[in-house]
Amino acid sequence: MLRPDGVRGRTSKYWEITVYGSRWTGPSQFHMDYLYECGVNIPNASDETCSTWKSDGAQGHGSGVAVNKQQIVKNFGRTAVVTKFPMINMFVTFADGSHAVGDDGKSGEKFRGRDVCVTNTTTKLCHSTGDGS
């Protein structure tokens, strides 16, 4: 339903998150919404969110209506030697008023994107994600 791991790369400081939504089960008519936030991985400390890093240029939380193949593009900031990751919670509401339930038993399905490593010259997926060679 979501591909939350796109990074525009090189010197760009943006994630490109694409929403894919199609009926698999449940009533045929549905509506999708999303909540967005990004996390900041602080070594040896509690992680923070991009909402607390606005002076860095990082875009904090946001929400909106989601449609199939929609791209959500967010700035994750410019501070070097910091690992950041996008987080999306997708909410599906069916025409009969029922809601899709996530793995945690609550409405909405949470997705955590891959870690992005920011340096002074490049932006790429971190080595720890397995795709940031």
Side-chain angles (χ1 to χ4, degrees), residues 1 30-36 63-66 88-94 99-100 106-111:
M1 182 154 116
F30 63 91
H31 172 84
M32 296 186 301
D33 293 291
Y34 72 90
L35 291 174
Y36 162 84
S63 61
V65 174
I88 296 279
N89 197 352
M90 296 297 302
F91 297 94
V92 176
T93 304
F94 297 103
H99 299 274
K106 299 178 183 175
S107 290
E109 184 66 42
K110 297 174 184 171
F111 296 91

Side-chain angles (χ1 to χ4, degrees), residues 46-124:
S46 297
D47 290 349
E48 296 185 17
T49 66
C50 288
S51 293
T52 62
W53 280 62
K54 288 184 180 181
S55 62
D56 165 63
Q59 288 178 274
H61 68 280
S63 61
V65 174
V67 296
N68 189 37
K69 298 182 183 175
Q70 175 182 349
Q71 292 181 333
I72 301 167
V73 178
K74 298 288 185 176
N75 188 314
F76 53 78
R78 60 189 169 276
T79 302
V81 197
V82 174
T83 300
K84 296 184 181 171
F85 52 93
M87 300 177 287
I88 296 279
N89 197 352
M90 296 297 302
F91 297 94
V92 176
T93 304
F94 297 103
D96 66 1
S98 63
H99 299 274
V101 176
D103 295 337
D104 61 1
K106 299 178 183 175
S107 290
E109 184 66 42
K110 297 174 184 171
F111 296 91
R112 182 198 187 280
R114 295 179 178 175
D115 290 346
V116 173
C117 290
V118 180
T119 70
N120 288 324
T121 57
T122 63
T123 301
K124 61 183 180 178

